[in-house]
Amino acid sequence: MSETSVNPQKRLWLTWLLLGALIMIPLVLRYAPIGDFLASPERLRKYFTQQSEYGSLAFFGLTFALTLLGCSRLLLCGIGALLFGFLPGLLLSQGATLASSFTQFAIASWLGGEIPQRLERIWRVCGFHQRNGQINGIFLMRQIPIPGVILNVGLGRLRVGVAAFVVGTFLGYLPQAIPAAALGGGLG
């Protein structure tokens, strides 16, 4: 694949966005009363479940932000099942991690750039070179123990179709998310 240059304005915009996030996260952790909630899992569960739809929305947003920054989606899937029960926790965490993965994918598509050669080999092994095998290829890639952000960025640079990315990622996350949610739900 030929190397394409990244638009300097896009790179500057993304740099400022990431810098802003890196500044805001420590400020929120420092000045928001989050330490009280993290000290007691029971208090955290009570807070999220008493908030009705806002508790679910808060968990979704928190999971989205944390997975966007690289936190383990499986850990958050287990926490979701611990807080909300197996199926609601699984669906909330799946939705949030899918939205986070899609955001990384969309940013990589927007920025463009070269695909690392090692990832090109993985795409070919998973049958990704076939136009009709994109969902299957994405599903198989999600089973490989590679950080999701690497796959999301690589798929974004490959200019994979949005529908194939969403369906393949959702289905590809399920085989690992179901046991994590079962474990988290069993702890609650």
Side-chain angles (χ1 to χ4, degrees), residues 59-104:
F59 178 77
F60 186 94
L62 188 61
T63 301
F64 171 81
L66 289 173
T67 54
L68 191 62
L69 296 172
C71 186
S72 168
R73 68 179 178 83
L74 296 176
L75 173 66
L76 295 168
C77 187
I79 291 172
L82 175 69
L83 296 175
F84 299 104
F86 173 75
L87 189 57
L90 175 66
L91 293 176
L92 276 171
S93 60
Q94 276 285 99
T97 55
L98 182 60
S100 174
S101 294
F102 181 76
T103 302
Q104 294 167 343

Side-chain angles (χ1 to χ4, degrees), residues 155-168:
L155 290 168
R157 289 184 175 180
L158 274 174
R159 308 258 186 228
V160 172
V162 171
F165 177 83
V166 170
V167 172

Side-chain angles (χ1 to χ4, degrees), residues 3-188:
E3 184 174 345
T4 59
S5 62
V6 176
N7 183 336
Q9 281 186 317
K10 289 180 182 179
R11 186 178 296 225
L12 182 64
W13 183 87
L14 185 62
T15 302
W16 279 109
L17 180 69
L18 292 174
L19 184 61
L22 289 174
I23 291 170
M24 290 302 297
I25 290 169
L27 290 174
V28 167
L29 291 175
R30 170 74 171 99
Y31 295 108
I34 197 166
D36 298 337
F37 294 114
L38 297 178
S40 168
E42 188 57 41
R43 190 171 179 190
L44 186 64
R45 180 187 309 161
K46 187 184 289 186
Y47 172 77
F48 277 108
T49 55
Q50 286 179 350
Q51 301 298 320
S52 65
E53 71 274 356
Y54 297 117
S56 300
L57 186 61
F59 178 77
F60 186 94
L62 188 61
T63 301
F64 171 81
L66 289 173
T67 54
L68 191 62
L69 296 172
C71 186
S72 168
R73 68 179 178 83
L74 296 176
L75 173 66
L76 295 168
C77 187
I79 291 172
L82 175 69
L83 296 175
F84 299 104
F86 173 75
L87 189 57
L90 175 66
L91 293 176
L92 276 171
S93 60
Q94 276 285 99
T97 55
L98 182 60
S100 174
S101 294
F102 181 76
T103 302
Q104 294 167 343
F105 166 81
I107 290 171
S109 277
W110 181 61
L111 287 174
E114 184 180 349
I115 301 165
Q117 288 182 355
R118 288 183 180 182
L119 289 179
E120 281 187 60
R121 282 186 247 140
I122 293 171
W123 309 153
R124 276 187 251 121
V125 167
C126 291
F128 203 82
H129 60 282
Q130 302 166 351
R131 187 104 176 123
N132 59 358
Q134 286 187 349
I135 292 175
N136 295 337
I138 293 169
F139 176 84
L140 289 174
M141 283 186 273
R142 295 293 179 193
Q143 308 316 305
I144 300 171
I146 296 175
V149 68
I150 294 172
L151 295 176
N152 298 333
V153 169
L155 290 168
R157 289 184 175 180
L158 274 174
R159 308 258 186 228
V160 172
V162 171
F165 177 83
V166 170
V167 172
T169 297
F170 181 81
L171 295 174
Y173 279 168
L174 279 176
Q176 297 166 348
I178 290 173
L183 180 64
L187 293 175

